[in-house]
Amino acid sequence: MTAKPATILVIEDDDDQYELYEETLGSYQLVRARTGTDALACLRHCQPDVVILDHVLEQGERGLDFLPEFRELLPHVPVIIVSGVLEVDQQLRALQGPRRAHYCLPKPVDLRQLRRTVEEALRECGPAEVVRQFEALERSRRIDALELLSRSTDRLSRQNRILSKLRGQSQRANISALAREFRVARRTIMRDLQELIRRGQLPESVYPEWRRPVEETDPDSPAD
């Protein structure tokens, strides 16, 4: 059985540049978005394995402005920035912090380097990166950091179980019951539902207040 090719979300408004990507990365499944806004909409029906992000996009949008949200919605998906307008300090900032990009390549991009970078991202990032983080933390014996990473992994696992439980449901979710089932606070479940709705994995009807900050919701409200 032939393995399914990796999916690459290409956020690029220039047609000539995108044609180069099609020629260079033809062995992968490419999904195109011309703006960051369109890319976020794509995530409702597309879960990419790699994101290629330009900085200057249509409608005056800037790719780096969307980087934190992409990293929140796709925490283990490598992001490759390809841009010819970023200053050195901008590139460094984009490659630092918890919501960083994994790679930053200049334009005009060396197509062989781009292909190698995509191959490396698929090989070294994603689940493999999480395993390396666990191993590094265990070696360093940083218990606080290990617990933080563990909570992040628990959150993703819990969200997958919530998604499995609520998939196909259109009525409001019973937040109190979910909180009891997963042994977490109601606010935790609310944040999980917010993220799942933002990704387009659940309909808004399961938590109509999902756009409001969780802090505005009364934690002592009656059970649903």
Side-chain angles (χ1 to χ4, degrees):
M1 182 176 179
T2 304
K4 180 182 177 182
T7 298
I8 303 177
L9 174 59
V10 180
I11 308 169
E12 171 61 65
D13 64 322
D14 185 272
D15 292 336
D16 292 336
Q17 183 72 24
Y18 185 72
E19 286 182 7
L20 292 176
Y21 291 148
E22 287 184 310
E23 294 173 6
T24 306
L25 305 172
S27 60
Y28 302 105
Q29 180 179 345
L30 302 189
V31 177
R32 184 185 185 184
R34 293 177 178 272
T35 67
T37 301
D38 289 343
L40 291 175
C42 280
L43 296 183
R44 296 183 178 181
H45 54 79
C46 168
Q47 287 293 303
D49 300 292
V50 176
V51 174
I52 294 178
L53 175 63
D54 187 20
H55 181 54
V56 178
L57 302 168
E58 285 187 354
Q59 301 176 21
E61 292 189 354
R62 295 292 182 264
L64 291 190
D65 293 342
F66 291 84
L67 181 57
E69 193 160 5
F70 290 142
R71 298 296 289 128
E72 180 176 345
L73 296 175
L74 305 168
H76 304 306
V77 173
V79 176
I80 304 171
I81 296 174
V82 181
S83 177
V85 302
L86 294 179
E87 301 291 340
V88 173
D89 63 323
Q90 291 177 300
Q91 296 179 35
L92 291 175
R93 285 200 300 272
L95 293 170
Q96 295 173 347
R99 296 183 179 178
R100 64 178 179 84
H102 289 72
Y103 306 90
C104 191
L105 304 179
K107 280 185 179 180
V109 65
D110 182 315
L111 297 178
R112 287 177 297 181
Q113 182 184 10
L114 174 65
R115 186 164 50 245
R116 289 195 300 267
T117 301
V118 169
E119 292 171 355
E120 179 180 320
L122 289 169
R123 183 176 64 252
E124 300 294 337
C125 302
E129 184 178 20
V130 175
V131 171
R132 287 198 305 276
Q133 288 175 338
F134 269 115
E135 291 174 344
L137 288 168
E138 287 176 349
R139 288 195 299 270
S140 68
R141 297 184 179 180
R142 290 211 36 202
I143 302 302
D144 57 337
L146 183 58
E147 289 179 351
L148 180 61
L149 184 56
S150 178
R151 287 197 297 270
S152 176
T153 304
D154 289 345
R155 175 174 59 85
L156 292 174
S157 174
R158 185 179 60 250
Q159 288 179 2
N160 285 333
R161 291 163 63 195
I162 291 173
L163 179 60
S164 176
K165 190 178 187 68
L166 300 184
R167 183 178 280 117
Q169 177 174 314
S170 58
Q171 65 268 31
R172 178 190 292 272
N174 189 325
I175 293 173
S176 296
L178 289 170
R180 290 192 296 270
E181 178 177 348
F182 292 101
R183 298 182 180 180
V184 295
R186 282 170 48 89
R187 287 189 177 189
T188 299
I189 296 297
M190 293 173 186
R191 292 191 181 96
D192 288 337
L193 293 176
Q194 283 179 329
E195 291 188 23
L196 290 168
I197 293 171
R198 191 181 299 119
R199 295 178 201 148
Q201 294 176 287
L202 286 177
E204 297 182 15
S205 55
V206 302
Y207 181 41
E209 302 84 4
W210 72 280
R211 293 183 184 276
R212 293 174 52 193
V214 169
E215 288 72 19
E216 292 182 3
T217 303
D218 181 6
D220 296 321
S221 58
D224 299 45

